[in-house]
């Protein structure tokens, strides 16, 4: 038998042993397996309408929006991807050709944060207002590479409780098919006893609206190197001022670690009838999902994930799927009972994923993949 035939048989045998959940089919594993086994997810390359893989977007957020998925790029993305929203068809992982450029209102242009938001803002997450999908909230993280505050503004916003340049909640209003406008901005303020610390590149990387317009914010790490979740109430008058927005600590039952970095880098809210619901969060470095009970009746469940990239090779020279060495999830959105996830290509590690030559150009271009999996009932009990 020829070598290529043997390779194909081996690939099929290995695939049969792996529990997979793809964007098209659900694993037959039971709920206990979903809790105790590593779940392998089959991804789809996110592509332009011409079939070209998306170029280095450094995808930093993912949410359901008008039947599609909405994402945003951070400040390390290719310049062609920055300061705009990306619309993705979840069924095909194909980008909408329309560019939703982010502009600024006159009022914001006159405010303290205009220079930074005009220059190189580091957008790291987004959330869609559940009662008005024309309002989208995004958050900034690292401002060390951008234009700093004026002396007057620095004095006004010096007491952030975290970084020298505060993290900003940015309100976007969808104006038309091609434009979203920054209408309001508020800096976040953390109480001193929250011990958040001054970590410009380890800030808020997850946003999710829960019940009653409660906005949850996932922090990568605090002074004890622990991931944290805070909240802020987006009430009717929230955007009537540009002063600090103090955050609260809902004191959720999160895992604690003795060593290492275990940041949260994507998050969404899962509604459950008759309950407070859950936050589903992605732990980027660990390739795990956290299932966080907002009622605080049970500890956070942790689900281990693995990620498979398609090779699109059928001649037996490569496996149909290659397991990724480093995926680095950074966006998570829920549609119904399906969890959608997108990775943020980690530039110093992404080429470690190359196995089949057919994928080398995609990994070199820092192209992301879209993954999905169903919610398992066992997580919620």
């Amino acid at each position: 038998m020829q070598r290529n035939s043997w390779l194909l048989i081996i690939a099929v045998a290995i695939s049969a042993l792996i529990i997979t959940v793809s964007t098209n089919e659900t694993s037959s594993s039971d709920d206990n397996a979903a809790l105790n086994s590593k779940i392998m997810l089959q991804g789809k390359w996110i592509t332009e309408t011409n079939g070209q893989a998306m170029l280095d977007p450094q995808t930093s957020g993912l949410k359901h929006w008008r039947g599609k998925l909405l994402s945003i790029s951070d400040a390390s993305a290719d310049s062609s991807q920055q300061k705009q929203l990306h619309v993705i068809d979840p069924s095909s992982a194909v980008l909408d050709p329309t560019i939703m450029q982010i502009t600024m209102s006159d009022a914001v242009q006159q405010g303290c944060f205009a220079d930074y938001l005009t220059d190189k803002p580091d957008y790291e997450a987004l959330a869609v207002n559940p009662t008005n999908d024309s309002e989208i909230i995004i958050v900034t993280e690292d401002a060390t590479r951008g234009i700093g505050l004026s002396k007057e503004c620095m004095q006004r916003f010096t007491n952030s409780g975290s970084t020298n340049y505060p993290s900003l909640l940015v309100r976007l209003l969808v104006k038309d098919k091609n434009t979203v406008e920054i209408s309001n901005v508020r800096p976040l303020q953390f109480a001193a006893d929250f011990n958040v610390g001054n970590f410009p590149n380890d800030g808020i990387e997850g946003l999710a609206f829960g019940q009653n317009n409660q906005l949850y914010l996932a922090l990568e790490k605090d002074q004890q190197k622990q991931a944290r979740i805070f909240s802020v109430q987006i009430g009717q008058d929230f955007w009537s001022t540009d002063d600090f927005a103090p955050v609260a600590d809902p004191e959720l039952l999160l895992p604690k670690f003795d060593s290492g970095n275990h940041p949260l880098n994507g998050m969404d809210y899962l509604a459950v009838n008759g309950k407070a619901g859950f936050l589903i969060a992605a732990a980027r470095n660990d390739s795990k999902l956290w299932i966080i009970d907002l009622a605080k009746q049970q500890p956070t469940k942790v689900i281990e994930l693995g990620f498979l990239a398609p090779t699109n090779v059928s001649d037996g020279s490569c496996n149909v799927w290659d397991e990724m060495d480093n995926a680095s999830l950074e966006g998570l959105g829920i549609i119904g009972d399906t969890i959608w996830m997108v990775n943020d290509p980690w530039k110093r590690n992404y080429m470690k994923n190359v196995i089949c030559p057919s994928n080398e150009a995609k990994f070199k271009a820092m192209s992301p993949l879209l993954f999905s999996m169903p919610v398992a009932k066992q997580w919620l009990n």
Side-chain angles (χ1 to χ4, degrees):
M1 185 178 292
Q2 293 184 349
R3 178 177 178 273
N4 285 351
S5 299
W6 277 111
L7 285 172
L8 185 58
I9 291 171
I10 292 170
V12 171
I14 291 173
S15 298
L17 294 173
I18 296 176
I19 299 173
T20 63
V21 183
S22 74
T23 53
N24 295 317
E25 58 187 359
T26 302
S27 165
S28 60
S29 61
D30 60 19
D31 288 338
N32 287 328
L35 268 178
N36 302 318
S37 302
K38 180 178 180 179
I39 301 175
M40 302 301 296
L41 305 181
Q42 296 176 352
K44 288 184 177 180
W45 292 104
I46 298 178
T47 63
E48 307 285 351
T49 52
N50 63 4
Q52 192 76 22
M54 190 179 190
L55 172 65
D56 190 17
Q58 295 297 295
T59 30
S60 296
L62 195 71
K63 286 294 179 291
H64 178 216
W65 184 72
R66 300 181 181 179
K68 301 291 182 69
L69 290 166
L70 201 62
S71 186
I72 197 165
S73 297
D74 69 21
S76 63
D78 186 85
S79 59
S80 66
Q81 307 287 12
Q82 295 180 30
K83 292 187 284 189
Q84 61 183 278
L85 298 179
H86 310 296
V87 182
I88 307 165
D89 185 335
S91 63
S92 63
V94 174
L95 288 159
D96 192 297
T98 302
I99 295 176
M100 297 183 70
Q101 202 71 42
I102 296 175
T103 63
M104 279 194 292
S105 67
D106 291 341
V108 173
Q109 291 184 49
Q110 302 303 315
C112 281
F113 309 110
D115 287 342
Y116 170 62
L117 296 174
T118 301
D119 180 35
K120 204 174 180 67
D122 189 32
Y123 295 131
E124 288 292 350
L126 76 169
V128 179
N129 187 327
T131 61
N132 177 14
D133 68 5
S134 291
E135 179 181 317
I136 299 160
I137 295 178
I138 54 180
V139 67
T140 66
E141 188 189 38
D142 188 358
T144 58
R145 292 170 289 188
I147 299 174
L149 293 170
S150 67
K151 183 178 180 180
E152 179 183 354
C153 291
M154 179 66 76
Q155 291 174 343
R156 182 182 175 191
F157 295 114
T158 189
N159 188 27
S160 73
S162 59
T163 50
N164 295 331
Y165 197 111
S167 296
L168 307 177
L169 278 187
V170 177
R171 183 193 192 202
L172 301 179
L173 296 180
V174 179
K175 307 300 288 186
D176 54 45
K177 188 176 180 180
N178 300 93
T179 308
V180 286
E181 181 182 80
I182 299 176
S183 64
N184 305 84
V185 181
R186 289 194 68 179
L188 294 171
Q189 186 177 50
F190 300 84
D193 59 6
F194 289 167
N195 296 313
V196 168
N198 185 353
F199 304 110
N201 198 38
D202 291 290
I204 302 297
E205 295 241 6
L207 293 177
F209 269 108
Q211 294 178 346
N212 303 315
N213 271 5
Q214 191 79 4
L215 182 67
Y216 293 94
L217 308 96
L219 180 80
E220 285 194 282
K221 72 175 184 181
D222 63 9
Q223 287 183 333
Q224 282 71 49
K225 294 187 176 181
Q226 305 296 323
R228 301 280 293 278
I229 292 178
F230 298 99
S231 65
V232 62
Q233 184 73 37
I234 308 294
Q236 186 174 358
D237 299 326
F238 182 83
W239 299 110
S240 64
T241 177
D242 61 356
D243 289 335
F244 270 125
V247 305
D249 183 358
E251 299 182 348
L252 301 175
L253 305 179
L254 303 180
K256 299 293 184 183
F257 300 92
D258 295 328
S259 61
N261 291 313
H262 308 272
L264 294 179
N265 291 80
M267 183 172 68
D268 206 356
Y269 172 71
L270 178 66
V272 179
N273 288 337
K275 294 186 178 182
F278 294 80
L279 293 175
I280 312 295
R284 168 191 173 120
N285 289 15
D286 301 333
S287 296
K288 292 178 180 177
L289 285 185
W290 292 10
I291 316 301
I292 304 162
D293 181 13
L294 288 173
K296 297 184 282 190
Q297 295 179 348
Q298 54 184 304
T300 293
K301 294 181 173 69
V302 178
I303 314 300
E304 185 176 4
L305 304 177
F307 303 95
L308 300 168
T311 63
N312 300 316
V313 171
S314 58
D315 62 4
S317 61
C318 291
N319 290 330
V320 177
W321 300 93
D322 282 342
E323 184 169 0
M324 297 176 69
D325 176 87
N326 185 280
S328 300
L329 291 180
E330 195 145 325
L332 186 150
I334 297 174
I335 303 178
D337 60 358
T338 300
I339 301 169
W340 295 89
M341 292 159 282
V342 67
N343 69 313
D344 171 23
W346 193 351
K347 293 186 177 181
R348 74 182 186 193
N349 290 314
Y350 212 44
M351 293 304 289
K352 295 177 183 178
N353 292 314
V354 177
I355 299 175
C356 182
S358 69
N359 278 341
E360 183 172 1
K362 297 182 182 71
F363 286 123
K364 189 174 183 179
M366 301 295 146
S367 302
L369 295 102
L370 184 66
F371 303 90
S372 72
M373 65 185 299
V375 174
K377 294 179 181 179
Q378 181 71 14
W379 301 349
L380 314 181
N381 298 324

